Amino acid sequence: MFDFQAMFMLMLFVLTVSFIVWKPRGISETVPTSICAFIVLLVGIVPLSDVKEIFNIVSGASITIISTIVMSIVLESVGFFKWVAHNLVKKSRGSGIILYVYILTLCYLTTLFFNNDGSILITTPIIIRIVTLLRLKPHQQIPYLLSGALIATASSAPIAVSNIANLIALKIVGLDLYSYVAMMFVPSMIGIVAISLLLYLYYRKDIPKKIPSFNLPFGIHSQNNILLEHPLADKGNPLHDIDWSTFRICIIVVVLIRGGFFALTPFGVPLEIIAIVGALLLIYIRWQRQGIGGMDILTKTPWHVLLFAFSMYILVYGLHNVGATTLIVDSLKEYMITNRFNTIMISGVLLTVLSNLFNNLPAVMIGTLSFVEMDLDTHTLQLAYLANIIGSDIGALISPMGTLATLIWMFILRKNKIQISWGQYVKVTILVIPIGLIITLLALYLWTEWLYY
């Protein structure tokens, strides 16, 4: 009976992942995940008694991520990202290399202040708009688009609130936001910088040295003495019509909310409550000052993320219940308890492999549950979890399948008729990401050894 359940569960899981990648007729990844999760509950592989525990684990992280995406939608509506795009081009002063650095910085900061999925949704259209209106050739567009996506996704590692996978597992291993950042920020930043440099070295011949320059005052440039809108401005909402007072207030609120995650959680205030307050406050400010209702919030917010995370966790619990995590424990425990260097390296590589095969959200859950079963001491367990995150946030980038963010990115490119195949993607990542992964894991080991000993 156990063997049949295990084979059945594995078949369902592979089928789910296949549909997520395939996306027949463009269906949401939530549809196959929800159907297979329902089947798992129906046949009893995951008993109903586990559902409440799963809900408690997933709900807070999902609500936090959704709320930060809502904040990004409000900022987009008041012109923030259009203003950013304008300044990226203006301050590049005709240099394609400087523009490249600015775009990577934008992707990093957007993920840091929001989350990786939100960052992809925000920055990819901005980059597409820039490279299209600058009339870059296809081979010149790819360095900006692909490097931006990789950095936006990898940048979810430094702080836990930038990725739903990071948040879901945080409580399981007994880490708070402060201890996570103390142990993870420096190593992951070393890795992100290393990946950025490697990407530049790979693309240095394709990045244009010179690009068109728009250096006149905000909103206009001239051509034959005729005043024209900046090419990044929309006709219906020109750059110089931005409500600057609302713009500044919204930015201040976002910064305060982000700081509130760290200032208030030590006093027992849940992350999701802080995030909800921030989202509602931004919606209220926009409504009061501009009279804009919440219809765009309802239509643009990916509410399905809540159901997706819940359903995926049910599938992971199903794998756990039929012995998948036990297999990992039996195979790796002996090596992981030997020393912390082994713990970090094995955890990071394991999660890299699992993420690229199955997607990082189920992979990080499987990894965390497996490490908890190994009876590691608290500090070693936390190191295993952090290496887990490095594998799922950075190592997962080898394949577009590795993260939901990269799948979203590929979808946006197709929608805008920009052709970057899986082969073109992997040709770059197979050279860059493994080096960046090893550098980050080594940095985690050296940093935590220095920090605690």
Side-chain angles (χ1 to χ4, degrees):
M1 181 65 179
F2 173 81
D3 290 340
F4 172 77
Q5 277 196 337
M7 290 177 62
F8 181 72
M9 185 64 235
L10 184 60
M11 180 191 71
L12 276 179
F13 188 74
V14 171
L15 192 64
T16 302
V17 173
S18 299
F19 269 90
I20 291 174
V21 177
W22 179 26
K23 277 185 173 293
R25 298 183 180 273
I27 65 169
S28 167
E29 61 277 349
T30 304
V31 174
T33 310
S34 302
I35 293 172
C36 290
F38 177 75
I39 294 172
V40 169
L41 291 173
L42 192 64
V43 300
I45 295 176
V46 175
L48 293 177
S49 57
D50 286 345
V51 172
K52 182 178 179 181
E53 181 181 354
I54 294 171
F55 180 80
N56 290 336
I57 293 172
V58 172
S59 59
S62 301
I63 291 170
T64 301
I65 295 298
I66 287 290
S67 297
T68 54
I69 291 176
V70 168
M71 287 190 275
S72 72
I73 292 170
V74 174
L75 282 182
E76 180 185 30
S77 71
V78 300
F80 174 71
F81 298 109
K82 191 186 303 176
W83 172 81
V84 169
H86 163 84
N87 278 280
L88 286 179
V89 175
K90 180 180 177 181
K91 292 184 180 299
S92 296
R93 300 190 180 279
S95 170
I97 295 173
I98 294 176
L99 177 63
Y100 180 79
V101 173
Y102 283 159
I103 283 177
L104 296 195
T105 304
L106 167 68
C107 293
Y108 166 73
L109 291 175
T110 305
T111 300
L112 208 65
F113 275 91
F114 299 102
N115 57 70
N116 62 332
D117 296 333
S119 181
I120 289 292
L121 289 168
I122 292 162
T123 59
T124 305
I126 289 176
I127 300 170
I128 290 173
R129 190 175 178 85
I130 290 173
V131 299
T132 301
L133 291 169
L134 292 179
R135 296 176 181 174
L136 300 183
K137 297 175 182 178
H139 75 277
Q140 295 175 321
Q141 295 179 7
I142 292 177
Y144 297 101
L145 290 164
L146 182 51
S147 300
L150 294 176
I151 295 303
T153 309
S155 297
S156 61
I159 60 175
V161 290
S162 294
N163 193 322
I164 188 172
N166 303 5
L167 279 177
I168 286 176
L170 196 65
K171 293 180 181 178
I172 298 175
V173 298
L175 279 173
D176 57 29
L177 290 182
Y178 280 102
S179 53
Y180 179 100
V181 171
M183 298 170 73
M184 191 69 148
F185 189 84
V186 170
S188 57
M189 282 305 304
I190 292 172
I192 291 167
V193 171
I195 291 170
S196 301
L197 291 173
L198 290 167
L199 286 168
Y200 172 74
L201 290 174
Y202 184 91
Y203 281 124
R204 65 187 183 279
K205 294 181 180 179
D206 294 321
I207 298 172
K209 300 296 185 291
K210 296 291 182 181
I211 58 173
S213 178
F214 305 100
N215 294 320
L216 292 183
F218 189 77
I220 58 173
H221 70 283
S222 66
Q223 182 175 328
N224 299 326
N225 297 320
I226 300 174
L227 292 180
L228 302 170
E229 283 290 340
H230 188 283
L232 295 172
D234 291 328
K235 292 180 180 179
N237 185 15
L239 289 163
H240 50 71
D241 284 348
I242 291 175
D243 182 347
W244 289 106
S245 60
T246 302
F247 179 94
R248 293 187 183 97
I249 291 171
C250 288
I251 296 300
I252 291 170
V253 169
V254 170
V255 172
L256 289 176
I257 291 300
R258 211 61 174 176
F261 286 146
F262 296 92
L264 298 178
T265 51
F267 298 98
V269 181
L271 281 171
E272 58 269 27
I273 298 299
I274 302 169
I276 289 171
V277 169
L280 292 176
L281 187 56
L282 283 182
I283 294 170
Y284 176 76
I285 290 169
R286 187 182 66 166
W287 175 66
Q288 280 285 84
R289 300 182 68 89
Q290 297 186 342
I292 301 175
M295 186 55 66
D296 61 332
I297 303 297
L298 293 175
T299 56
K300 292 182 178 180
T301 301
W303 303 106
H304 65 277
V305 167
L306 297 170
L307 182 58
F308 175 75
F310 180 72
S311 300
M312 186 58 82
Y313 213 102
I314 287 176
L315 294 177
V316 170
Y317 251 63
L319 289 172
H320 172 68
N321 289 348
V322 299
T325 54
T326 302
L327 179 63
I328 294 174
V329 171
D330 292 341
S331 302
L332 300 179
K333 180 178 179 179
E334 180 181 349
Y335 303 100
M336 290 187 61
I337 63 175
T338 304
N339 58 65
R340 288 174 178 146
F341 179 83
N342 285 355
T343 299
I344 289 172
M345 289 299 169
I346 291 173
S347 301
V349 172
L350 172 67
L351 261 293
T352 295
V353 173
L354 291 179
S355 295
N356 284 286
L357 288 175
F358 302 130
N359 186 265
N360 68 338
L361 184 58
V364 75
M365 296 173 185
I366 292 170
T368 303
L369 291 173
S370 300
F371 302 146
V372 169
E373 287 188 3
M374 290 183 184
D375 296 324
L376 304 171
D377 65 82
T378 301
H379 183 58
T380 303
L381 174 62
Q382 291 173 351
L383 289 178
Y385 161 75
L386 294 175
N388 201 13
I389 295 303
I390 291 171
S392 66
D393 288 1
I394 294 177
L397 296 174
I398 294 174
S399 161
M401 174 61 204
T403 73
L404 181 59
T406 44
L407 290 173
I408 292 171
W409 177 74
M410 296 288 279
F411 173 76
I412 294 173
L413 294 186
R414 288 196 300 270
K415 190 176 178 182
N416 285 274
K417 297 180 171 56
I418 295 175
Q419 299 299 322
I420 297 180
S421 67
W422 279 46
Q424 288 175 293
Y425 178 97
V426 174
K427 183 180 177 181
V428 180
T429 56
I430 198 68
L431 296 175
V432 171
I433 298 304
I435 298 173
L437 172 71
I438 297 302
I439 289 173
T440 311
L441 293 173
L442 284 172
L444 175 65
Y445 172 73
L446 295 173
W447 174 251
T448 52
E449 285 293 299
W450 175 83
L451 193 65
Y452 290 96
Y453 296 99

